[in-house]
Amino acid sequence: MTDIAATVQPRFALSLGRVGQLLALGVLFLIAFVVLQGNGTLPHKDDSQVFLTLNGVRDWVDANRSTNPVFVYVLGPIRAAIDGLDGIVTSLLSQASWIGLLAVAGALALAFVSWRTALLVIGSLLAIGLLGLWTETLQTLVLIANSVALSLLIGIPLGILAGRNDRFLAFITPILDFMQIMPTFAYLAPLTLIFLIGPASAVIATLIYAMPPAIRITSLGIRGVPVQTVEAAESLGATDGQVLRKVQLPIARRTIGLAVNQTIMMALSIIVIAALINAPGLGESIIVAIEKLKFGAAVTAGIAIVLLAMVLDRITASASGAGLPAVIAIGPLRVPRRTLRIIALAIAVVGLLGGALASAGSSFPAAWHVSIAKPLDDAVRWVELTFAGLTDALKNGVSAGLLDPIQTVLTTSPWWLVIAAAAGIAAIVNSTRAAVVVAVALVLIVLLQVWEHAMQTLTMVIVSVVLTMAIGIVLGVWAARNRVVSAVLRPINDAAQTLPSFVYLLPALALFGPTRFTAILAAVIYSVPAVVRLVEDGVRGVSPTVIEAATAAGASRLQMIRKVQLPMARRSLLVATNQGVVLVLAMVVLGGLVGAQALGFDVVSGFSQRNFFGRGVAAAIGIVLLGVMLDRITQGTGQRRSVRGVVGRLGVGLNSNRASREA
Amino acid sequence: MTTVAAPPATRPAGKGSPAAGGPTISVRGLWKVFGPAEQRLTRRAGSAAPSADQIEAAVRDHGGTVAVGDVSFDVRPGEVFVVMGLSGSGKSTLVRCLTRLIEPTFGEIDLDGENIRKASQERLRELRRRRFSMVFQNFGLLPHRRVLENIAFGLELRGESKATRLTRADEMLGLVGLDGMAERYPDELSGGQQQRVGLARALAGDPEVMLLDEPFSALDPLIRRDMQNEVIRLHHDLRKTMVFITHDLAEALKLGDHVMIMRAGKIVQIGRPEELVARPADEYVEDFVRDIPKSHVLTLRWVMRPANANDPVDGPVFPVDTIIRMVIHAAAATDKPIRVIEDGQLVGVVDRAHILETVAGQGNDAEVGPPT
């Protein structure tokens, strides 16, 4: 008895202590805030020393670009090579007429996916043409083709290496983590400084964003090959090369196909951001439309991007799916696969030649354009007028009730108090090491002289994360416990996760106009699907035996959720929080495009206005630091206390032994 | 001072001489340490093995586990050598050490007198391609290849022509009773059929030694029995030397010419099946064999007593290696003691009551005597 009490009590005290510590920290912080408010604040100044110094760096680079050997012999040639590639692909695509491209895309879908997909692909591309965005779509396609080709060329070999070599994986994982939590925004300015505005910068920016999944998924695919299969090959005397060629690559083929598909999707999702550094195409159309608050035009371009995403997704998804059967049914017809592929090839060739002969030109006939921008604008105006009361109430309610108080606390407290509080939270929920990282990140933000804007951004992030987690957990638990809800939410989540992020800005913008609330709403819509999915999977993953045991013990529905499912899904909840924070930050920053001010706006204006370059770069670094800080606070908590199943280990061998004897 | 040395449990290794009668595989002082301690030990000791105490101290100080601790044994040509132990006993690590799929920490492994531990990677691959083959618990088949291509995989690795390897694979298909399955994919087969493919793949290269790592543990009991009989048949027909890993004592006793019982990386006992049942080395083994019906394993040698002048001379006659179970019928038909002969000579008698007691499972250790 005493033994049990001795082992149980300290753990109980510890877990109670953690919540208590957080509460105590909160109370202390508030008391200190009341006493010290207004002291030690760091108001924003547009002409701070850091910004001016960074402007100076830019001037130095501009002055030395044509003489410094690093630029002349390393960076220059890289830029020239990518620009050259861009030129080649552009001229190839423009030599094929629009008819030819339709035929090639349709033929690819027919030969490798299905005739239904072929129709869908052709229909989508026709729709893009009718919307009057053919030329822009081609420009976007060139950017994607180049950045995806380079991403895969570098990413797949690195992924294979990471899949086979633990040391390399350990080395590259933190780099990939960093590439992925770093908002794209952050590295655009330095890129344009080095590679100037143009295809090279856009391609490299896209590559930085799209390559990590290619490496990760390829590595996962290689690691997903069962150890026993590799061991079996080794036991038969396979060399390293034979294991790779004959076992690992063939088995991982589908996963690597998924890597290709994901890389394309990632590339597509940042074309709008690439447009901020003047990459031409659909992204540019959206940016221009948003800047002029032309909702209809923005939505039109958004639709074109979604259609293009669908086309690319459908054509490449087949690479990760099962291969086509040898005989394919088209309605009542039975066509051998080989025949179908010959037909597809014929369609492509005829289309290309026919288009060239008919001299249809690279662009879609302007006479067929259909504009949907005007009716959309009218509809939005009607919604705005009709629901103005409701949307204003919501906007003002959240602003006055949540945003303003939090922002006041964060911006009018002494900076060191905020840092101490953040480090304290990190120390309590994670570890002392995390607390140190958090404190260092925040001190660097202070030194960059972007404190006030960073606190404004942080406010939006906190509010968005709270809303996201509240909605996400409710929906996730509901979906996990109810088949119908899950069946309804799954496809919506799937679709939502393949849409490029800025698409979410558009409806929010239509309803709430250019304010920080728009950014918050977009961030919530953007991150909820991922959170719902993680929570649902986590709750579903709770062992049925435990559920059964709790039911047998008479747990009510609420008790089941509160005392069994949520605590046991703790790891998933923490991962979901971490994911939610990363996604929210990316979107809140993007909100700088639609009036959300703060760091995001500083970055955007840094691209367009020369004298704000320094402020833009400092803000970009500030965003990265905020990301690191938020990631550290929410990450790793899952590893701290893991519940281990002891039961499973006992007597497995004995039981099966007995079973075989009985047999 | 003269001491009488106890006879070694196994014959010493025929160093460097693959002479007739020498063991096929000879393992001496094999250690496998996982974790930080391993590097410490090998860095400090080079190739010479430190003492068991030193190794255990290193594991205590630097962290790690001893998966295989000071294991020595011989596998004779053509025999089935079973390594039996529960999960975590180190048996799977041990079998992987034999072909250095897992690099041993210390110890010697000889195959027909060739030192495996000194073999280059090149030579090792050659040995794996031609002299050893392995069968795995989870089959380890290639999901993207058909059955026939799976069987031919080892031959492909060693560079046989396509025609040769497919012909050979087709023969193997028949040998393991999978005719007509050549064009299937592994996931279209049952577990038992998949393991037949695993067996065929291992046999295709005509290896000298087959290593089977719990090959039937993932199978249903009925299928398992079929597969055990299949192995007995293949062993009878092909006379391959086999090292068979299992956690199932019944399987070990059924298949093994010799059985080695392992616990926590150490050898507990090596012996013929009936030796384990009749004379368990310690309580651990005793606990294992308690439920094994002795009459199914022991021979008359283990239960006979010396004949004396008063014994009737017209009782039923059986050879000394007869399993007790086989004489029940004869014993029931007579009230005379059974006469046990070896090489035509009377070596002892068994009383009817004694046989019945053994069958009923009441025969305790005192009644089971050592063979003379």
Side-chain angles (χ1 to χ4, degrees), chain A residues 5-60:
Chain A
T7 50
V8 169
Q9 222 169 10
R11 276 186 62 184
F12 182 64
L14 185 80
S15 64
L16 205 144
R18 208 189 290 186
V19 177
Q21 284 166 13
L22 280 176
L23 279 177
L25 185 73
V27 171
L28 276 179
F29 177 76
L30 283 179
I31 293 171
F33 165 70
V34 171
V35 175
L36 296 166
Q37 184 177 15
N39 293 321
T41 57
L42 298 167
H44 184 78
K45 277 189 298 196
D46 274 342
D47 56 350
S48 75
Q49 194 51 47
V50 175
F51 304 165
L52 296 178
T53 311
L54 286 168
N55 278 344
V57 171
R58 180 208 47 203
D59 293 338
W60 180 88

Side-chain angles (χ1 to χ4, degrees), chain A residues 228-229 231-240 242-243 246-247 250-251 649 652-654 656-661 663, chain B residues 84 86 96 101 125 128-129 134 136 138 140-145 153-154 156-157 201 221 224 247-249 288 291-292:
Chain A
Q228 306 93 323
T229 313
E231 198 174 38
E234 281 171 359
S235 82
L236 290 164
T239 61
D240 263 11
Q242 283 175 324
V243 169
K246 292 174 190 279
V247 180
I251 295 179
R649 292 199 154 199
V652 174
L654 275 172
S656 47
N657 215 351
R658 204 161 292 146
S660 63
R661 242 178 268 160
Chain B
M84 189 261 159
L86 299 183
R96 281 165 177 74
L101 281 177
R125 252 197 310 274
R128 289 177 189 166
R129 286 178 178 184
M134 196 158 170
F136 296 86
N138 295 305
L141 302 181
L142 302 177
H144 59 288
R145 291 176 174 227
F153 185 56
E156 180 182 337
L157 290 178
R201 179 177 65 185
R224 193 182 314 170
H247 63 241
D248 179 352
L249 183 70
F288 262 119
D291 295 339
I292 296 290

Side-chain angles (χ1 to χ4, degrees), chain A residues 46 55 58 602 605-607 609-617:
Chain A
D46 274 342
N55 278 344
R58 180 208 47 203
D602 293 345
S605 57
F607 300 130
Q609 284 155 281
R610 253 188 94 75
N611 43 347
F612 286 139
F613 176 87
R615 189 182 73 177
V617 172

